Amino acid sequence: MYQINFKDPIHIYFMGIGGISMSGLAEILLEQGFTVSGSDLKESELTIALAEKGATIFYGQTAENLNPQCGLAEIDLVVYTAAIKDDNPEFIALKEKGINSMTRAELLGQIMKNYQVPIAIAGTHGKTTTTGMVSEILLKARLDPTLSIGGILNSIDGNIKIGKSDFFVTEACEYTNSFLQFYPKIGVILNIEADHLDFFKNEEEIRQSFRKFAELIPADGVLIINGAIKNLSEVVNGLSCQVIVYGEDPANDYYISDVTYDKEAHPTFTLNYHPQSFADVKAAAISHASETYTLGTRGMHNALNAAASIALSDYLNIDTRFTKDALMAFTGTKRRFEEKGQCAGFMIIDDYAHHPTEIKATLETARNYPHRLIWCVFQPHTYTRTKAFMNEFADSLCGADRIILIDIYAAREKNEDGISSKDLVNIIKKSGKECYYISTLDSFANAEKFILENVEQGDLLITMGAGDVVTIGDNLLKN
């Protein structure tokens, strides 16, 4: 693999530079004196921000983009994501020209090597929120970390922050085994479930991937892991690093109890700690064998994400006061139970949930939020995921009072099996739930019209999915 010399900046080209992760890495390299260029399909806030910082951006992906132009020197290295296919014109030109190349994950791994305390947060669900929580704690403690987040964090007004310390925090995604290119000193595994079945054969293969991720952590590092993970011993037994287990079970090193919610679903809980579980007890940790926390985020799933973040904070000997203040101030990243505003007397919430477990957690959170009826507008994400979890999607969506299904967001896929949102509607209707299919192939106009005619004052409308369903709420609020 090509090795970057960070003391000798070169010209790096990003295919898909507008992606949430790619744009962050590009910004880090710009800060370190690299020449950065790249392409994306359309202009966005992220590409505009990069251009203002000195990057050269091309809109549309053509072979011509890889030729020296705009006064730039020849490209030394091309970085691409898993979304780039073999028939992409730039990718074809890359191979023909023989330019050095690497994946986004390989670049991120090489950047991590430059830091003494690289922190990688993995799991099927909750990565972005937990990365945000950990980031807020380090910021509150004035540790000046470098942050690479898979969502927009309000306190830094973006997804990236370039710090001057030895702390580096990033999400670690399992898709295409990307996180196996990383070099974590501290690793977090929030959960392990079946997902990304367009790449993994089955859940067992996913578990094996997470085990390999855990094995990346060196003997002087630590793995913080959810004790509720099925057959946990298969993931942690024999690791050379320290292992800290958290969850709801009192047998865990850290465990949550006494959970209550305020009128807007913010949890307060007691976090308990077993100091005898560790040979080397951290000073900050032993000072709060039992402590009460209140979150600025919502739901039981975020109480568990917070428990992982607190364990990490303790491991770093961060004062508990900073941790408590940070978790109360952190209200989540964008598109995670995000309050968008009121329309015609009903509240609009937007959420990124696109896996049955995430949907269930979001709708359970909504039950503790003010509402008359809960309406869920769900946009399934990818055909393979919809097909693989059809029944599970139906079960989890039934946590809403009324359900609206719009067309599947294809993302990187083609509909080879003829899967449709109508299939999911038919299953949900058999359960007796009110469920409606509205075609959005041309526009969201019909869905917006239906909502305005049917959702009533006092109701809660949740737009849900990893695609562009958020646009529905945005359009409604413009009316």
Side-chain angles (χ1 to χ4, degrees), residues 268-290:
T268 294
F269 60 88
T270 300
L271 188 68
N272 309 279
Y273 170 77
H274 293 304
Q276 68 271 24
S277 299
F278 306 99
D280 179 21
V281 178
K282 301 295 178 179
I286 201 169
S287 70
H288 67 86
S290 178

Side-chain angles (χ1 to χ4, degrees), residues 16-78:
I17 197 168
I20 193 75
S21 177
M22 291 280 271
S23 63
L25 298 179
E27 186 172 338
I28 290 173
L29 293 177
L30 280 168
E31 181 72 15
Q32 296 184 5
F34 285 74
T35 299
V36 171
S37 62
S39 66
D40 217 296
L41 297 179
K42 59 183 180 180
E43 187 178 75
S44 68
E45 291 182 8
L46 293 174
T47 60
I48 292 171
L50 284 173
E52 291 174 349
K53 290 178 170 67
T56 300
I57 312 291
F58 302 99
Y59 295 106
Q61 294 183 320
T62 68
E64 177 66 19
N65 293 344
L66 297 188
N67 295 330
Q69 53 185 300
C70 301
L72 295 175
E74 291 215 16
I75 296 167
D76 299 296
L77 175 68
V78 172

Side-chain angles (χ1 to χ4, degrees), residues 446-465:
N446 287 337
E448 292 157 13
K449 181 175 183 289
F450 179 88
I451 289 166
L452 288 172
E453 291 175 349
N454 291 275
V455 181
E456 299 183 13
Q457 185 171 346
D459 287 351
L460 176 62
L461 178 77
I462 305 177
T463 56
M464 185 180 290

Side-chain angles (χ1 to χ4, degrees), residues 104-163:
R104 178 202 65 84
E106 289 169 338
L107 172 60
L108 180 49
Q110 291 201 24
I111 290 173
M112 290 176 77
K113 282 185 176 181
N114 293 329
Y115 295 84
Q116 293 295 314
V117 190
I119 301 167
I121 297 170
T124 311
H125 325 292
K127 292 184 291 293
T128 299
T129 296
T130 308
T131 304
M133 288 178 171
V134 170
S135 297
E136 291 287 6
I137 292 168
L138 296 182
L139 291 169
K140 185 68 72 174
R142 299 182 181 88
L143 293 177
D144 195 22
T146 295
L147 309 173
S148 177
I149 306 168
I152 302 301
L153 188 64
N154 290 330
S155 63
I156 61 173
D157 194 27
N159 66 309
I160 193 77
K161 176 195 173 294
I162 300 168

Side-chain angles (χ1 to χ4, degrees), residues 112 118-123 127 170-174 177-192 205-218 222-225 229 234-236 239-241:
M112 290 176 77
I119 301 167
I121 297 170
K127 292 184 291 293
T170 186
E171 293 182 31
C173 182
E174 73 275 17
N177 286 323
S178 292
F179 61 4
L180 300 187
Q181 306 298 328
F182 293 2
Y183 296 88
K185 176 79 172 289
I186 299 174
V188 177
I189 299 180
L190 302 166
N191 34 64
I192 303 175
E205 191 171 66
I206 296 169
R207 289 175 57 79
Q208 291 171 5
S209 185
F210 275 94
R211 167 68 192 200
K212 291 176 182 176
F213 168 76
E215 290 173 346
L216 296 175
I217 302 169
V222 64
L223 172 66
I224 299 166
I225 188 165
I229 291 172
E234 295 178 0
V235 182
V236 301
L239 294 178
S240 61
C241 66

Side-chain angles (χ1 to χ4, degrees), residues 437-478:
Y437 164 73
I438 300 177
S439 174
T440 50
L441 292 176
D442 297 323
S443 74
F444 290 128
N446 287 337
E448 292 157 13
K449 181 175 183 289
F450 179 88
I451 289 166
L452 288 172
E453 291 175 349
N454 291 275
V455 181
E456 299 183 13
Q457 185 171 346
D459 287 351
L460 176 62
L461 178 77
I462 305 177
T463 56
M464 185 180 290
D468 55 0
V469 65
V470 61
T471 306
I472 291 176
D474 291 341
N475 290 342
L476 289 170
L477 291 169
K478 291 175 184 176

